[in-house]
Amino acid sequence: MNELQALPAPVRGPQRWWGMGFFVLVLIGLGLGAYHLNAWLEDEQQMPVREIKITGSYQYVDPVQIEKAIRENQPGSFFELDVAKALKDIEALPWVYRASIRKEWPNNLHVHLVEQQALARWNEDMLLNVQGETFEAQSPEDLSLPRLYGPQGSEKAALQGYHAMEALLQHAGLNIEELFLSERFAWNLKLSNGLAMSLGRSEFIDRLQRFVDIYPLLQKAPKQAEYVDLRYDTGLAVGWRATVMPEA
């Protein structure tokens, strides 16, 4: 039987150190590469946002303000642009109801807008949209809107009442010019022909229907009605406009 001979252990010291050194160099290279890549991506001169395309059906939104909100509040780099923050800045602008933003390679933005649909003025200083939500915006001169007034938090109730009463009055050829909803939720109207109306708190639709039924008789009266009080169970009170006597 041959005796086993012990072989000398291989010398691993220099190879191990060379391997560790190479590994460290690779890590340093990757770190430097990541640093330079990040710096390049952040450099707006290397990858700026070139074009901001705005789509959607809008009439009163100012596209210049949209682009200004993005470029002034965001870094110029396409990759560093925070879409969530840009969206928040855009939706804070007047007449913008909803928006969406999408990055388009290589360095463009696509902004799609949904414009507010104003239905009425609310308490003189706000506008009311079709959802019953208030928003701040300057009302254009070509936008003719009814005026609605009411306590804070009553916007949706006032809007629902307006729709119901406007639909009823249109059968008589009348429109609501001003609607007042008091703190106690009593309804008062001013119509487009100048007639003022008081409907009270309850059964205001039934009371308005009573007015619509009797309105043809009021039109035949020798005097013009100025005020109608419908806060009665079965009748109404009419205030007549004073007759102005012509000068001699």
Side-chain angles (χ1 to χ4, degrees), residues 17-66:
W17 287 110
W18 274 108
M20 291 180 63
F22 178 76
F23 180 70
V24 171
L25 288 175
V26 170
L27 290 179
I28 293 174
L30 290 175
L32 289 174
Y35 171 79
H36 288 296
L37 177 61
N38 185 65
W40 184 83
L41 293 177
E42 290 182 351
D43 185 1
E44 62 182 80
Q45 300 301 323
Q46 299 291 341
M47 188 63 76
V49 175
R50 295 262 180 214
E51 181 183 0
I52 300 176
K53 295 183 286 186
I54 302 174
T55 61
S57 178
Y58 56 90
Q59 183 178 1
Y60 303 112
V61 172
D62 186 356
V64 175
Q65 293 297 322
I66 300 293

Side-chain angles (χ1 to χ4, degrees), residues 9 24 28 40 60 89 96 109 129 150 155 167 175 186 195 204 214 220 222 232 236:
V24 171
I28 293 174
W40 184 83
Y60 303 112
D89 293 336
V96 177
L109 286 181
N129 64 18
E155 294 88 351
N175 297 100
L195 181 64
F204 59 92
I214 203 172
K220 296 177 181 179
Y232 301 92
L236 55 86

Side-chain angles (χ1 to χ4, degrees), residues 10 50 52 69 82 99-100 117 128 135 138 151 166 169-170 175 179 185-186 192 194 222 228-230 234 237:
R50 295 262 180 214
I52 300 176
D82 187 341
S100 62
Q117 297 182 51
L128 195 65
F135 66 98
Q138 184 176 0
E166 179 74 359
L169 286 167
Q170 284 180 351
N175 297 100
L179 179 149
F185 277 69
S192 54
V228 175
D229 189 347
L230 292 152
T234 57

Side-chain angles (χ1 to χ4, degrees), residues 94-177:
W95 289 104
V96 177
Y97 178 63
R98 290 287 184 268
S100 62
I101 302 178
R102 185 175 71 250
K103 290 184 176 181
E104 294 183 345
W105 183 262
N107 53 357
N108 297 328
L109 286 181
H110 179 198
V111 179
H112 184 77
L113 298 176
V114 178
E115 190 175 61
Q116 293 274 14
Q117 297 182 51
L119 183 68
R121 303 177 193 272
W122 179 254
N123 290 341
E124 295 294 350
D125 57 345
M126 302 285 285
L127 293 176
L128 195 65
N129 64 18
V130 294
Q131 290 80 19
E133 303 167 346
T134 58
F135 66 98
E136 294 186 28
Q138 184 176 0
S139 179
E141 295 180 357
D142 62 340
L143 190 61
S144 179
L145 297 172
R147 296 179 177 87
L148 274 58
Y149 301 87
Q152 185 177 4
S154 66
E155 294 88 351
K156 285 183 169 55
L159 185 62
Q160 291 173 357
Y162 169 81
H163 280 309
M165 290 186 281
E166 179 74 359
L168 190 56
L169 286 167
Q170 284 180 351
H171 292 292
L174 298 170
N175 297 100
I176 298 174
E177 185 175 288

